[in-house]
Amino acid sequence: MQLKYQYSIVAILGILNVNFLIAQQEQSSSGEVDGYKKRVLENTEIDFLSSYYSQDGNNAAVSGGTGTEELTDFTPTIVVSIPLNVDDVLTIDAGVSAYTSASSSNINPFDGAGQADPFTASSGASRGDTWANINGTYSHSSDDRNTIWTADASLASEYDYFSIGFGGSFTKLFNEKNTELTLHTKIYLDTWKPIYPIELRPFGESGAGLNDGLFQQNSITGNPNYNPKFTEFTDKGRNSYTLGLNFSQILSERLQGSLALDVVSQNGLLSTPFQRVYFADVADSFIQNFQLADAIEQLPDTRLKIAVGGRLNYYLNETFVLRGYYRYYSDDWGIQSHTASIEMPIKLGSKFTLYPSYRYYTQTAADYFAGYEMHRSNQQYYTSDYDLSKFHANQFGFGVNYTDIFTNFNIWSLHLKSIDLRYLYYKRNSGLNSGLVSFGVNFIIP
């Protein structure tokens, strides 16, 4: 369920760190004047962030493209930015993601009190888990603030995988800081602990097949000669390598634009071990109301992703700003996508800003995707994960930001800088819909 609940983490960090990033860029643009060099970050800043994400749908990949996709996720995060000296800043962010998922509970649909059913959550242990991560970033700015480089490292862990990441970036400003060029890279080294659907485990290397207790204690209806196509994964690693280039240009007093190119190469175990697949040419077998898997998702062990996009921000007046964004994405699994969004911050006086937004997304299906009972057993690759299907989606958002210009409000030694509250509503034409509420508070420690 990583794609679903990590959406909330990405959204909240992207939304609620906007003020911090803008402030840091403004401060880092000041060079040395009359022998005095302004600090990149004047004081330690702390962001307390949280989000609540909820989704529903009827195309769960855990149960082969059918069944409930109901999921909730709560994500508290803390980000601390510490000025080490006039040129260097250390940023540490740590968070957890506690989720409850009806679909992932059906990895073992037979461990609950009721009848197993793909549209009903099991009450067993697999219904929820916690994902935790910590990331540290060190940044250094040159004396004239025209050169910035960063180095970062991260750790993340969940019940079925562990991830180590490290990377860095190099930024150069030209043309009196009107032009900015950034090269960045990131490497993730992940290790899986494969968790397979409960009915397939007896058919693994050391299993007992139909003599296992699951089949001895429960009657198989439909096809009683259940014989899945299943082999345990031998490769339990997944590596991801990212290289990106960003170009930003102030075009006029009112107009600013940027371009971005990102290339991601992945290799290793790219299939999700607990996602079932059902074949059209295999007779169905059931225990209670739950159809037993014919196989698990099988995808290539390499993937190359390329994305190119651009932003254009136009300052209309003291009240309105238009922010436009477009991205084109393509990979060698056959997916092509387009993303377009627009946001119009509305400034109400010196303290409040409103953020209405709209985002449209569309993609083609992966070469290896087909829905419930639409694959055939002689295929090499197959998945019924609707994240890899053809679909389009609309997202509507609204937010409000409060800025305490003079940091007059204090809690102990913490001086309030800003408060941010946002809501996003997302809907796919496949039936999946979700809502995300995110909240953040930024404090300064003088």
Side-chain angles (χ1 to χ4, degrees):
M1 302 306 297
Q2 296 166 22
L3 287 176
K4 298 297 191 302
Y5 74 79
Q6 285 182 358
Y7 164 78
S8 65
I9 300 171
V10 171
I12 185 174
L13 293 178
I15 292 171
L16 300 182
N17 279 311
V18 168
N19 291 330
F20 165 73
L21 293 173
I22 292 174
Q24 191 175 42
Q25 289 171 356
E26 289 174 347
Q27 292 166 2
S28 65
S29 66
S30 300
E32 190 170 357
V33 180
D34 296 331
Y36 171 74
K37 185 166 58 173
K38 185 176 178 66
R39 299 172 69 92
V40 175
L41 185 65
E42 291 292 339
N43 302 288
T44 297
E45 297 194 7
I46 301 177
D47 286 278
F48 296 100
L49 313 174
S50 64
S51 72
Y52 178 79
Y53 174 79
S54 177
Q55 73 170 40
D56 201 3
N58 294 309
N59 298 116
V62 175
S63 46
T66 186
T68 178
E69 294 178 89
E70 183 181 354
L71 178 149
T72 59
D73 173 66
F74 176 64
T75 307
T77 303
I78 183 171
V79 181
V80 182
S81 300
I82 306 167
L84 303 178
N85 51 52
V86 294
D87 299 323
D88 303 325
V89 176
L90 176 65
T91 301
I92 300 174
D93 65 86
V96 297
S97 175
Y99 74 92
T100 300
S101 169
S103 61
S104 69
S105 75
N106 283 325
I107 294 173
N108 182 3
F110 311 112
D111 59 356
Q115 289 280 305
D117 189 293
F119 291 94
T120 303
S122 169
S123 58
S126 58
R127 69 185 182 278
D129 195 54
T130 300
W131 176 89
N133 82 298
I134 184 169
N135 183 83
T137 302
Y138 172 82
S139 68
H140 172 79
S141 299
S142 63
D143 289 340
D144 60 7
R145 301 299 187 250
N146 286 330
T147 303
I148 305 167
W149 63 265
T150 70
D152 65 86
S154 63
L155 294 173
S157 180
E158 197 196 354
Y159 75 105
D160 63 342
Y161 87 98
F162 178 77
S163 176
I164 299 174
F166 51 91
S169 68
F170 180 81
T171 300
K172 193 71 176 178
L173 286 83
F174 307 91
N175 188 25
E176 297 182 346
K177 297 181 172 58
N178 289 318
T179 305
E180 182 176 314
L181 188 65
T182 299
L183 179 68
H184 59 89
T185 185
K186 188 78 176 184
I187 297 174
Y188 291 101
L189 306 176
D190 303 342
T191 302
W192 282 87
K193 177 185 176 183
I195 307 293
Y196 301 108
I198 188 67
E199 70 270 28
L200 296 181
R201 298 174 197 174
F203 296 89
E205 294 180 1
S206 58
L210 291 177
N211 293 321
D212 183 78
L214 173 67
F215 305 108
Q216 296 299 310
Q217 298 166 16
N218 296 276
S219 299
I220 298 178
T221 58
N223 174 24
N225 300 315
Y226 179 57
N227 185 27
K229 181 182 178 181
F230 175 65
T231 302
E232 295 181 5
F233 291 115
T234 56
D235 187 355
K236 299 180 182 179
R238 177 183 59 193
N239 301 330
S240 302
Y241 308 93
T242 301
L243 182 65
L245 182 66
N246 296 81
F247 172 79
S248 177
Q249 177 68 48
I250 296 176
L251 301 170
S252 70
E253 292 182 353
R254 294 176 177 267
L255 188 64
Q256 179 182 15
S258 65
L259 297 172
L261 172 66
D262 292 287
V263 180
V264 179
S265 176
Q266 293 181 296
N267 62 71
L269 179 52
L270 304 184
S271 305
T272 304
F274 52 75
Q275 295 189 168
R276 293 176 174 87
V277 170
Y278 299 109
F279 296 130
D281 56 342
V282 174
D284 299 341
S285 300
F286 296 84
I287 290 180
Q288 299 171 17
N289 296 324
F290 199 92
Q291 186 174 349
L292 305 180
D294 293 329
I296 56 173
E297 177 181 85
Q298 296 287 335
L299 293 169
D301 58 5
T302 62
R303 188 178 188 183
L304 180 65
K305 310 176 184 180
I306 299 175
V308 58
R311 296 181 183 275
L312 201 62
N313 300 335
Y314 185 72
Y315 175 83
L316 292 172
N317 51 45
E318 293 183 355
T319 303
F320 299 100
V321 177
L322 284 176
R323 296 175 179 172
Y325 171 75
Y326 171 78
R327 187 189 76 154
Y328 170 76
Y329 166 91
S330 178
D331 66 31
D332 58 359
W333 285 8
I335 294 179
Q336 297 183 42
S337 73
H338 302 269
T339 305
S341 68
I342 187 168
E343 182 180 63
M344 187 174 68
I346 304 171
K347 196 169 182 62
L348 305 179
S350 60
K351 294 186 176 182
F352 288 93
T353 304
L354 305 180
Y355 290 92
S357 64
Y358 170 74
R359 175 181 178 269
Y360 177 78
Y361 177 83
T362 182
Q363 75 171 39
T364 61
D367 297 335
Y368 320 112
F369 171 82
Y372 168 71
E373 289 200 330
M374 295 181 67
H375 285 290
R376 302 194 70 82
S377 59
N378 61 352
Q379 292 177 272
Q380 182 180 7
Y381 300 118
Y382 34 80
T383 178
S384 295
D385 183 350
Y386 272 71
D387 287 338
L388 301 177
S389 70
K390 178 182 178 180
F391 68 86
H392 64 262
N394 295 279
Q395 178 179 283
F396 302 89
F398 186 81
V400 59
N401 174 269
Y402 169 80
T403 301
D404 190 343
I405 300 174
F406 302 105
T407 61
N408 291 323
F409 182 79
N410 303 324
I411 299 178
W412 299 296
S413 60
L414 302 177
H415 293 211
L416 177 66
K417 183 177 180 181
S418 65
I419 300 175
D420 202 297
L421 176 65
R422 299 204 183 193
Y423 174 75
L424 299 174
Y425 174 74
Y426 173 87
K427 185 174 180 61
R428 287 184 188 176
N429 65 320
S430 63
L432 177 72
N433 60 82
S434 67
L436 172 70
V437 179
S438 56
F439 175 77
V441 183
N442 177 241
F443 290 100
I444 296 175
I445 301 179

